[in-house]
Amino acid sequence: MNILFYTDISPFPANGGEKIRSYYLIKALARLGHQVIALIQNEENADLANYQIPNVVYYTHPKKHFDLLDRIAGKNYFQRSNKVLQLFNEVCEKYTIDVAVLDYGYIGHYIQYFNSRGIEVVLGTHNAQPMITAQVPASNLFAKLRRFQLLTLEKLHERMYFKKAAALLVVSEDDRKYHEKFIPKERVFFVPNFLDEKEYALTGQKQPKVLVMTANFGQYMNFQGLKWFIEKVWDDELANRYDIWLVGRRSKEALKQITGAESFKNITALGKVDDVKWYISVANGVIIPLLHGSGTRLKCLEAMALRTPIMATSKGVEGVASKNFIIADTPEEFKKVILSFNGDAAIGEALRADFMREYSADVNTQRLQQVLNYTLYGQGGTKVKVKSEMVNS
C-alpha cells in the first residue's frame, strides 16, 4: 500500500512532543510494510540522510507564512498553500496513493484534495486543541476576546473539515469524547502517543541528586507549570537536596523570565538538545508540574519507557494509563513528595511495564493497521482485508 503522509511539523530531530508523535507515526506505518511518502517540513535543516527509515521517502515543503493581519482574520485556519498542492500533484502523479494520512494541526482544508481523487483520508490529531485554548490565561478584555476568537475559529475548522475524513485519530479517551460530539463514533480511533521501545533501552548511571523536567517551555502550559513550581513549590530546603535540570526548547528563556536569572537555586536550564533520552535516563526522577493541557504527555511516556519515576500533578499525567505515578496537586503536597522521594527502582520497573502494555510501538502499530483497514474497507476491514507483514525497524 502507498501512503501519503503529510504534516506541517518538522519531525527531525525528534526533540519535542509533536515531533516525536509524527516521527513514530511515519515509522509505524512503514514498519507495517507500507510505502510511506512523507511530506514534512524541515525548519531546522536536518540532514534527512541521518533519519532514513526503511520504506519511507521524504519530500519537504516550506512553512506557509501568515502576517499578523492574516492571523487576526483567521486565514491560517482555512487557506491552503499552493506549494503544498503542487507537491501533492507531484507525488500523486508519481505514485498510486491508496490512503492519505494528514497529521497534526488545522490542516483539514486539504482533505478535499484527496476526496476529489477518490483517496480516503486519515486525519491525525495530537490533542483536542479547543480544550487547550480554553485554558489559556486571559488577564484583560483584549486577551479574552482573542481567546474567544481562536476558540471560534478552531471549532469552525473542526466542524467544517474533520467530518470529511474517513477516520480520525485521537490520543486520549477525553479527546475521543470531545470529537465524538461532532464525528460519528465509529470513525474516531484511539491511538495514543507511543514510542519505539527499542529506542528507549538506555540504562544510564542514575544521578541521586538530579531531577529533570523536559518540555517545550515556549508552550504556555509548560511555562505556566514551571512558573507555578518555582514560585509555589521550590525553596531552599528542596534546593539543598536536589538539582533540577530543565531540558528543552526555550528553557533558558523561561527560567530567566520567571526568576530574572539564568540559574536559580540549583535549577539549571540546558536549552534545546537533540535527544532528551540520556537526561531522563540518568535523572533520579522526572517532574511534570502541569496545570493545563490535554492529550497524553509524551514527556511522561518517555520517563516510563526509561524506567524513571515520575512526580506530577494530576493534569501532568492525565490520560496516561498507570497507577504508579507519584501525584501531588498542591504546592505543599509537591514539596512533601520530593522530600520523601528516594528514587525507588521498583517504581521505574512498574512504569516500564505499564508503558509496554499500552504505549509501545508493537501495540500501536497494530492499532494503526486496524485504522487503515477500516479506512479502506469499512467496519469489517479489521478482520479481513489488508494483510501486511511487519518489517524489522
Side-chain angles (χ1 to χ4, degrees):
M1 182 191 303
N2 290 329
I3 298 174
L4 184 152
F5 182 97
Y6 170 79
T7 183
D8 277 342
I9 289 171
S10 302
F12 307 114
N15 57 5
E18 71 280 2
K19 291 166 166 272
I20 293 170
R21 171 74 174 182
S22 289
Y23 164 55
Y24 283 121
L25 283 174
I26 293 170
K27 190 173 183 181
L29 292 168
R31 187 183 180 196
L32 284 163
H34 305 307
Q35 176 72 51
V36 180
I37 302 93
L39 283 58
I40 63 173
Q41 290 188 8
N42 188 15
E43 288 191 283
E44 297 188 41
N45 295 314
D47 184 354
L48 297 181
N50 295 328
Y51 299 98
Q52 292 301 307
I53 301 170
N55 299 334
V56 177
V57 176
Y58 296 119
Y59 287 75
T60 60
H61 62 94
K63 186 178 183 67
K64 183 174 175 61
H65 291 284
F66 294 91
D67 61 29
L68 180 60
L69 289 178
D70 286 339
R71 290 187 175 278
I72 290 174
K75 289 185 179 180
N76 50 309
Y77 289 96
F78 306 101
Q79 192 174 91
R80 302 191 298 183
S81 163
N82 287 330
K83 291 183 179 179
V84 168
L85 294 175
Q86 290 169 8
L87 193 55
F88 286 169
N89 286 334
E90 179 183 341
V91 170
C92 289
E93 286 175 7
K94 185 172 182 179
Y95 300 90
T96 300
I97 300 300
D98 298 291
V99 175
V101 177
L102 309 184
D103 179 60
Y104 188 66
Y106 287 93
I107 55 177
H109 43 300
Y110 289 112
I111 296 174
Q112 183 57 33
Y113 174 93
F114 298 100
N115 285 354
S116 67
R117 290 160 175 76
I119 300 169
E120 298 285 8
V121 172
V122 177
L123 182 63
T125 65
H126 289 206
N127 48 57
Q129 185 59 42
M131 292 173 62
I132 294 179
T133 301
Q135 299 172 47
V136 174
S139 58
N140 55 57
L141 179 60
F142 176 80
K144 290 177 181 178
L145 289 173
R146 179 58 175 161
R147 183 176 63 188
F148 175 78
Q149 182 197 30
L150 290 175
L151 276 169
T152 302
L153 290 168
E154 289 166 359
K155 290 183 177 181
L156 180 60
H157 180 107
E158 290 175 343
R159 283 151 180 80
M160 284 180 63
Y161 300 120
F162 280 24
K163 61 187 177 183
K164 297 179 183 294
L168 185 80
L169 303 183
V170 298
V171 301
S172 74
E173 290 298 336
D174 283 345
D175 289 5
R176 183 206 289 271
K177 292 174 185 175
Y178 170 84
H179 287 100
E180 284 179 351
K181 293 176 182 177
F182 56 95
I183 302 290
K185 292 182 178 181
E186 65 273 12
R187 286 160 55 189
V188 181
F189 290 85
F190 171 61
V191 180
N193 288 323
F194 64 93
L195 307 171
D196 186 343
E197 54 275 16
K198 299 180 186 66
E199 295 183 10
Y200 286 80
L202 299 180
T203 54
Q205 182 64 43
K206 291 292 185 184
Q207 305 296 310
K209 284 197 64 177
V210 172
L211 304 177
V212 68
M213 179 178 178
T214 63
N216 174 358
F217 292 91
Q219 294 184 346
Y220 88 91
M221 68 282 286
N222 297 319
F223 177 84
Q224 290 294 333
L226 176 63
K227 187 173 187 291
W228 175 82
F229 180 80
I230 290 175
E231 294 180 350
K232 303 293 186 182
V233 179
W234 197 246
D235 60 15
D236 291 334
E237 184 179 10
L238 292 174
N240 287 333
R241 180 158 182 180
Y242 282 108
D243 296 332
I244 299 277
W245 292 348
L246 305 178
V247 183
R249 281 177 283 176
R250 299 198 64 80
S251 57
K252 293 182 179 181
E253 294 86 343
L255 183 60
K256 190 168 185 178
Q257 185 176 339
I258 294 167
T259 68
E262 295 184 355
S263 62
F264 177 78
K265 293 185 178 180
N266 286 346
I267 300 177
T268 303
L270 302 178
K272 182 178 71 174
V273 299
D274 283 346
D275 194 333
V276 301
K277 296 187 192 76
W278 180 84
Y279 300 91
I280 298 172
S281 71
V282 301
N284 204 24
V286 164
I287 60 168
I288 311 178
L290 297 189
L291 307 177
H292 312 90
S294 79
T296 50
R297 317 288 183 262
L298 272 160
K299 57 180 69 68
C300 177
L301 303 187
E302 290 193 298
M304 294 170 71
L306 290 165
R307 298 176 173 87
T308 302
I310 296 166
M311 292 169 280
T313 56
S314 297
K315 180 63 73 172
V317 294
E318 184 179 66
V320 182
S322 176
K323 296 181 179 179
N324 292 295
F325 303 122
I326 304 170
I327 303 297
D329 286 317
T330 68
E332 296 77 17
E333 290 172 348
F334 220 117
K335 178 178 177 180
K336 184 177 179 180
V337 299
I338 293 176
L339 286 174
S340 62
F341 178 67
N342 61 8
D344 189 346
I347 294 177
E349 292 297 334
L351 287 170
R352 171 75 179 191
D354 292 337
F355 164 82
M356 291 298 295
R357 274 191 296 271
E358 190 71 10
Y359 306 107
S360 64
D362 278 349
V363 170
N364 287 286
T365 297
Q366 294 304 324
R367 284 176 169 151
L368 282 172
Q369 183 64 73
Q370 291 172 4
V371 176
L372 293 174
N373 287 344
Y374 172 85
T375 300
L376 287 173
Y377 307 109
Q379 213 123 20
T382 54
K383 295 181 180 177
V384 293
K385 297 286 183 177
V386 175
K387 293 183 179 179
S388 56
E389 298 297 327
M390 280 194 189
V391 296
N392 292 328
S393 55

